């Protein structure tokens, strides 16, 4: 369990490093003004950030997801695995329920982490910036708004994460079964990468409009007076001002991010587990035990 946890953390770090630039673009597109849009699309946003802020501008707010990564992985691994065992057997429905439970619990860390990330991604560069880092951002928010401010967007995060994690684990379980992912298969890693990347895309599509709402609520008041009174008011105002397309803002960069992030995560996890288990000491002359069929892939499905 400790080895799986460490491998998951390493995979999560790889995923964050690969996907954070896409996440920065997604947030910028989601919260820009409809009257005076700063960016014309995903590619223009990428180019503008690099031109104005250098490549480092794409990694604004990176510290926040990296700091919360270990805790999120611990919660997701622990809750998903224990829930699946408590439900009694491995089935598509139980994979969804276990994933949904893991998604709901990890919101305790995910919501403040994404709040800090969003604020840092949107702040101006130079000496006039409001926050020096993730911890400073959360400390200032707590000092000005209290615990409620730190947990701004918690309900929308919960509504997003609970079903999306369920869909992710369900899709991954179905795909790994359909692709015939078995221990010893020379195409096992590519199959796992394909299943993981596809599952990430499907899970994002399932709840993306709520992610737009969450980003707007967490960015509300950063540049001017607060506009929204809650989730429904945010949805209502956004729809009236920009139509239904507002709920797809930043979707292209999100989907571009989803596949490589999950691919990087699963590739790293596989490499770490392979090398770590290969280095385990065994008495001389003792045969390596055969990998069990079926259950051997149960743990990777909890990533």
């Amino acid at each position: 369990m400790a080895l799986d946890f460490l491998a998951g953390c390493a995979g999560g770090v790889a995923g964050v490093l690969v996907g954070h630039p896409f996440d920065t673009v997604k947030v910028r597109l989601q919260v820009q003004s409809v009257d005076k849009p700063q960016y014309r699309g995903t590619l223009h946003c990428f180019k503008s950030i690099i031109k104005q802020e250098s490549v480092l501008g794409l990694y604004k707010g990176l510290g926040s997801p990296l700091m919360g990564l270990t805790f999120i992985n611990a919660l997701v691994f622990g809750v998903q695995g224990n829930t699946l065992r408590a439900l009694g057997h491995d089935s598509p429905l139980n994979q969804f329920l276990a994933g949904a439970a893991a998604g709901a619990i990890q919101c305790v860390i995910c919501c403040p982490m994404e709040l800090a990330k969003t604020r840092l991604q949107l702040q101006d560069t130079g000496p006039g910036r409001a926050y020096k880092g993730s911890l400073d951002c959360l400390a200032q928010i707590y000092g000005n708004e209290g615990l409620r401010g730190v947990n701004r967007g918690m309900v929308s995060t919960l509504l997003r994460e609970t079903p999306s994690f369920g869909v992710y684990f369900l899709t991954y379980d179905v795909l790994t079964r359909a692709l015939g992912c078995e221990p010893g298969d020379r195409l096992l890693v590519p199959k796992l990468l394909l299943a993981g990347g596809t599952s990430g895309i499907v899970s994002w599509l399932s709840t993306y409009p709520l992610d737009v709402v969450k980003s707007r609520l967490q960015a509300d008041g950063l540049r001017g007076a607060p506009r929204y009174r809650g989730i429904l008011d945010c949805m209502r105002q956004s729809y009236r001002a920009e139509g239904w397309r507002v709920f797809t803002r930043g979707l292209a960069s999100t989907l571009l991010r989803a596949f490589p992030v999950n691919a990087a995560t699963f590739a790293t996890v596989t490499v770490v587990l392979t090398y770590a288990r290969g280095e385990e000491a065994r008495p001389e002359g003792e045969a390596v035990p055969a990998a069990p069929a079926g259950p051997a892939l149960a743990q990777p499905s909890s990533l």
Side-chain angles (χ1 to χ4, degrees):
M1 290 181 67
L3 180 58
D4 289 327
F5 169 74
L6 291 174
C9 289
V13 169
V16 170
L17 292 176
V18 170
H20 194 77
F22 295 96
D23 189 72
T24 299
V25 171
K26 179 203 73 170
V27 171
R28 297 277 183 102
L29 290 172
Q30 285 179 339
V31 303
Q32 71 174 341
S33 170
V34 64
D35 299 321
K36 297 179 180 178
Q38 187 177 357
Y39 311 111
R40 296 191 298 269
T42 301
L43 186 59
H44 181 249
C45 185
F46 263 111
K47 290 180 177 179
S48 298
I49 294 174
I50 293 174
K51 183 178 180 180
Q52 298 168 11
E53 308 171 39
S54 80
V55 176
L56 294 178
L58 294 170
Y59 285 93
K60 276 187 174 180
L62 178 65
S64 181
L66 282 179
M67 280 194 307
L69 183 66
T70 301
F71 301 103
I72 287 178
N73 274 282
L75 288 171
V76 170
F77 272 72
V79 173
Q80 197 270 347
N82 281 290
T83 302
L84 197 58
R85 282 189 291 271
L87 291 172
H89 64 283
D90 185 357
S91 68
L93 176 60
N94 287 346
Q95 285 283 353
F96 177 85
L97 295 175
I105 296 298
Q106 60 95 40
C107 287
V108 176
I109 304 297
C110 177
C111 181
M113 181 191 77
E114 292 203 350
L115 175 64
K117 173 181 68 65
T118 298
R119 295 292 181 93
L120 289 168
Q121 286 172 331
L122 295 175
Q123 75 170 345
D124 297 325
T125 56
R129 60 181 184 171
Y131 311 114
K132 291 178 287 188
S134 301
L135 290 178
D136 179 59
C137 178
L138 290 174
Q140 287 193 42
I141 294 173
Y142 179 78
N144 295 329
E145 305 174 46
L147 193 60
R148 184 174 182 178
V150 173
N151 288 292
R152 176 182 289 191
M154 177 63 78
V155 176
S156 55
T157 303
L158 187 66
L159 291 173
R160 182 196 70 177
E161 297 289 81
T162 303
S164 69
F165 265 73
V167 169
Y168 177 84
F169 284 113
L170 171 62
T171 305
Y172 183 73
D173 182 65
V174 170
L175 287 176
T176 51
R177 293 173 190 270
L179 292 172
C181 297
E182 296 292 340
D185 186 351
R186 64 187 182 88
L187 296 177
L188 177 61
V189 173
K191 288 179 179 180
L192 291 176
L193 296 181
L194 176 61
T198 305
S199 301
I201 290 176
V202 173
S203 66
W204 269 110
L205 287 173
S206 68
T207 59
Y208 191 77
L210 284 168
D211 184 68
V212 176
V213 173
K214 183 219 49 115
S215 293
R216 293 197 162 204
L217 288 173
Q218 291 186 329
D220 192 29
L222 185 61
R223 296 173 179 173
R227 298 173 53 193
Y228 310 119
R229 296 191 300 271
I231 296 174
L232 293 178
D233 183 56
C234 178
M235 295 177 71
R236 190 181 303 111
Q237 287 194 45
S238 298
Y239 178 76
R240 285 177 178 174
E242 305 171 53
W244 64 269
R245 291 183 181 275
V246 68
F247 299 112
T248 63
R249 277 251 194 116
L251 180 60
S253 62
T254 300
L255 297 184
L256 285 173
R257 167 183 176 265
F259 198 96
V261 164
N262 283 278
T265 299
F266 278 96
T268 304
V269 168
T270 302
V271 169
V272 171
L273 287 176
T274 300
Y275 277 92
R277 287 173 177 167
E279 294 296 325
E280 287 178 354
R282 293 188 181 90
E284 187 176 353
E286 181 179 334
V288 177
L297 293 179
Q299 186 59 30
S301 72
S302 66
L303 297 175

